């Protein structure tokens, strides 16, 4: 019964965090995109940038709200399902989560209202500052959350008291643990790519119906530019994370590559059906010599034979989640480079095959983010804090029946709330940016003789 409660608690947390991570992964990049749009509007006075801002800020508001709600649910689950984890590691994890609230959430909450409702209340430059501060807040939030999670992957700067509780001996070591820099870079770029794919896909959808829509042409060009630059860099950041895992979490790397034997000069396995019971791969398709991507020639790579069976992660899920993430990443690189080439040829909005490809790739960032987090979290199992605290020892003393009941409630509520939110966002994306009848000017002051209704800060279409 205890094992059932553990499994159900893990499933419940996996279900809720999979929904939650979709929204921060989108809003981090979208907040930065909005700041760029408003800055370009102030600098160029082009109405198209303001129209794009007013359109995408609606999507941001809905996504941000759903992210906050789903994040609160995760906080409650720490107390209901993982009370032992909090009791034992609260001295280390607790301050990091508190710093996130104090430095990021308060910043976002303070200026989000100005960003959404301040067009008639503050000047354009102050409004732009609010948008920038919200964007900074989302990045700071990612900093603290990734720091806490990375400490669970590569813990340092702590000691364990005789009663089993963890206390920090150096918060600098806790925050800047070995896996934190690479994972922060990897996650931030994943957020920017997710936003670029959504913006590019939505813009391509509009251009398939109206190739002359100026706002969608601008947004698609910006999305393609970001993809062309960030997607190749993301490949390097992922390799960096793999190098850190090879040093600090060798069992995770072994599961990622389905390496059952500790040796040098492994091949690069492209396809396989890992069999944990047989400790081998079925239908393996490998490229001899290509394992240099994982390790230089002659370097011994730890295989799963060096890990006790009870300490091995679920290989099949980790192996295939990694390949989904990498496969989508390669498609993102292809989309970005193809789009950059078409933009250079001044044919970006004319190639309908490219536009269809961009539409199809719209949700790819979300899938890649979830796949990446599966690799990260499942690859750490059976540890909740790598090497020092097992997941089985972190669960609350609850019954399987109570966890199952709450899981079914979560599934039902999420199915209603988040499907409704997603449908509304999709309808907004289908509608696309609609230019207002009056385009405000960045100066934010009413010219002499201008009727009050036409004042720049009161342009039709501004969010109320």
């Amino acid at each position: 019964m205890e094992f059932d409660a553990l499994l159900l608690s893990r499933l419940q947390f996996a279900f809720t965090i999979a929904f939650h991570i979709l929204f921060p992964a989108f809003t981090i990049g979208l907040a930065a995109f909005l700041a760029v749009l408003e800055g370009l509007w102030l600098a160029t006075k082009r109405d198209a940038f303001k129209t794009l801002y007013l359109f995408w800020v609606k999507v941001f508001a809905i996504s941000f709200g759903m992210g906050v709600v789903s994040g609160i649910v995760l906080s409650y689950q720490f107390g209901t399902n993982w009370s032992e984890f909090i009791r034992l590691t609260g001295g280390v994890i607790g301050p990091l989560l508190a710093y996130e609230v104090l430095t990021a959430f308060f910043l976002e909450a303070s200026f989000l209202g100005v960003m959404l409702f301040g067009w008639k209340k503050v000047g354009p430059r102050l409004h732009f500052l609010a948008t920038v501060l919200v964007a900074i807040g989302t990045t700071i939030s990612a900093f603290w959350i990734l720091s806490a999670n990375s400490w669970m992957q590569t813990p340092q700067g702590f000691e364990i008291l005789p009663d089993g509780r963890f206390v920090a001996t150096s918060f600098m070591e806790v925050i800047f643990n070995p896996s934190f820099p690479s994972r922060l870079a990897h996650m931030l770029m994943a957020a920017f790519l997710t936003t670029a794919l959504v913006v590019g896909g939505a813009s391509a959808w509009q251009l398939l119906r109206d190739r002359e829509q100026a706002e969608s042409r601008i947004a698609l060009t910006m999305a393609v530019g970001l993809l062309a630059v960030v997607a190749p860099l993301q490949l390097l950041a992922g390799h960096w994370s793999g190098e850190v895992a090879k040093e600090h979490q060798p069992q995770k790397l072994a599961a990622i590559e389905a390496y059952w034997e500790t040796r040098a000069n492994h091949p690069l396995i492209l396809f396989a059906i890992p069999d944990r019971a047989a400790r081998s791969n079925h239908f393996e398709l490998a490229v001899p010599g290509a394992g240099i991507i994982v390790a230089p020639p002659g370097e011994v790579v730890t295989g799963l034979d060096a890990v006790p069976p009870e300490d091995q992660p679920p290989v099949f899920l980790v192996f295939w989640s990694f390949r989904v993430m990498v496969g989508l990443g390669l498609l993102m690189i292809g989309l970005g480079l193809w789009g950059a080439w078409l933009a250079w040829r001044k044919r970006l909005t004319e190639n309908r095959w490219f536009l269809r490809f961009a539409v199809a790739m719209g949700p790819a960032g979300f899938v890649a983010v979830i796949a990446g987090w599966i690799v990260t979290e499942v690859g750490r199992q059976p540890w909740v804090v790598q090497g020092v605290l097992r997941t089985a020892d972190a669960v609350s003393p609850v019954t399987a029946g109570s966890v199952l009941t709450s899981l079914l409630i979560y599934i039902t509520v999420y199915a209603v709330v988040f499907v409704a939110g997603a449908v509304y966002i999709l309808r907004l994306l289908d509608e696309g940016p609609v230019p207002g009848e009056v385009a405000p000017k960045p100066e934010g002051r009413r010219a002499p003789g201008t009727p009050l209704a036409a004042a720049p800060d009161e342009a039709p279409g501004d969010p109320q």
Side-chain angles (χ1 to χ4, degrees):
M1 201 66 159
E2 183 180 354
F3 173 78
D4 292 338
L6 171 62
L7 178 61
L8 289 170
S9 294
R10 289 180 61 190
L11 288 174
Q12 184 177 115
F13 197 80
F15 173 78
T16 51
I17 200 171
F19 270 92
H20 171 68
I21 195 61
L22 298 176
F23 300 108
F26 182 41
T27 54
I28 290 172
L30 188 55
F33 179 61
L34 289 170
V36 171
L37 286 175
E38 189 167 8
L40 289 173
W41 171 65
L42 286 171
T44 66
K45 301 182 176 68
R46 288 187 62 181
D47 297 338
F49 291 122
K50 180 67 177 286
T51 300
L52 283 169
Y53 181 97
L54 293 176
F55 170 69
W56 284 105
V57 77
K58 300 175 188 176
V59 178
F60 175 83
I62 300 167
S63 302
F64 187 89
M66 290 195 290
V68 170
V69 171
S70 58
I72 292 174
V73 171
L74 292 177
S75 300
Y76 280 122
Q77 282 192 31
F78 282 132
T80 58
N81 290 32
W82 302 100
S83 59
E84 282 299 293
F85 170 71
I86 293 300
R87 185 182 72 83
L88 295 174
T89 68
V92 178
I93 292 291
L96 301 184
L97 300 181
Y99 297 153
E100 190 267 340
V101 173
L102 291 173
T103 62
F105 188 75
F106 283 177
L107 181 65
E108 295 166 344
S110 299
F111 289 95
L112 182 65
V114 178
M115 178 181 171
L116 297 179
F117 309 112
W119 287 100
K120 293 183 179 181
K121 309 299 181 184
V122 300
R125 289 172 179 79
L126 181 56
H127 188 274
F128 173 60
L129 177 62
T131 303
V132 171
L133 290 175
V134 170
I136 292 173
T138 61
T139 303
I140 295 175
S141 180
F143 176 94
W144 290 114
I145 297 302
L146 264 294
S147 176
N149 185 267
S150 296
W151 179 82
M152 295 162 64
Q153 307 285 335
T154 52
Q156 68 173 19
F158 71 99
E159 66 179 9
I160 302 178
L161 300 179
D163 62 358
R165 291 183 298 112
F166 292 55
V167 293
T169 57
S170 171
F171 267 109
M172 288 300 292
E173 291 185 9
V174 168
I175 295 168
F176 297 100
N177 58 81
S179 64
F180 171 64
S182 61
R183 296 188 65 238
L184 178 64
H186 198 46
M187 184 62 206
L188 288 178
M189 283 193 278
F192 290 131
L193 288 173
T194 298
T195 300
L197 289 166
V198 173
V199 171
S203 302
W205 176 256
Q206 296 298 325
L207 291 169
L208 284 170
R209 299 190 293 186
D210 179 9
R211 197 167 61 188
E212 301 304 320
Q213 189 183 101
E215 290 78 12
S216 293
R217 292 168 69 95
I218 292 172
L220 180 61
T221 302
M222 295 174 68
V224 164
L226 186 62
L227 280 169
V229 173
V230 176
L233 293 176
Q234 179 72 316
L235 194 64
L236 298 178
H239 182 73
W240 181 17
S241 292
E243 290 293 316
V244 175
K246 182 173 63 175
E247 180 179 355
H248 296 278
Q249 295 178 292
Q251 82 287 351
K252 179 186 288 187
L253 180 65
I256 287 172
E257 303 297 340
Y259 289 161
W260 299 96
E261 181 183 356
T262 300
R263 67 179 179 88
N265 303 320
H266 280 281
L268 181 65
I269 301 175
L270 302 178
F271 179 92
I273 305 297
D275 187 337
R276 188 173 177 180
R279 302 176 65 82
S280 64
N281 299 323
H282 303 298
F283 309 107
E284 182 177 291
L285 175 63
V287 181
I292 59 173
I293 297 176
V294 179
E299 180 179 317
V300 176
V301 177
T302 302
L304 291 165
D305 59 352
V307 183
E310 65 273 15
D311 292 343
Q312 294 178 5
V315 182
F316 182 91
L317 184 57
V318 176
F319 177 85
W320 278 108
S321 296
F322 180 79
R323 274 144 188 80
V324 169
M325 178 183 64
V326 172
L328 290 173
L330 294 176
L331 289 176
M332 293 175 199
I333 293 174
L335 178 65
L337 295 180
W338 186 11
W341 182 76
L342 289 174
W344 178 65
R345 298 282 305 274
K346 302 186 184 302
R347 297 174 54 192
L348 181 63
T349 60
E350 298 175 6
N351 191 310
R352 298 184 69 84
W353 283 108
F354 173 80
L355 295 178
R356 294 188 184 102
F357 185 29
V359 171
M361 286 291 290
F366 297 112
V367 178
V369 165
I370 292 178
W373 276 97
I374 289 174
V375 172
T376 298
E377 299 304 291
V378 178
R380 186 184 65 227
Q381 296 303 318
W383 305 98
V384 66
V385 180
Q386 181 68 51
V388 292
L389 180 62
R390 288 183 175 273
T391 308
D393 298 326
V395 71
S396 298
V398 293
T399 64
S402 62
V403 180
L404 178 61
T405 300
S406 59
L407 175 59
L408 293 175
I409 293 173
Y410 279 130
I411 292 174
T412 303
V413 173
Y414 276 46
V416 175
V417 175
F418 289 102
V419 168
V423 168
Y424 182 67
I425 290 175
L426 289 174
R427 287 181 177 177
L428 283 176
L429 297 180
D430 182 63
E431 178 184 342
V434 179
E437 295 180 7
V438 179
K441 296 182 180 180
E443 286 77 13
R445 290 187 295 272
R446 183 162 50 95
T450 302
L452 183 61
D457 284 344
E458 300 180 358
D462 284 358
Q464 301 298 316

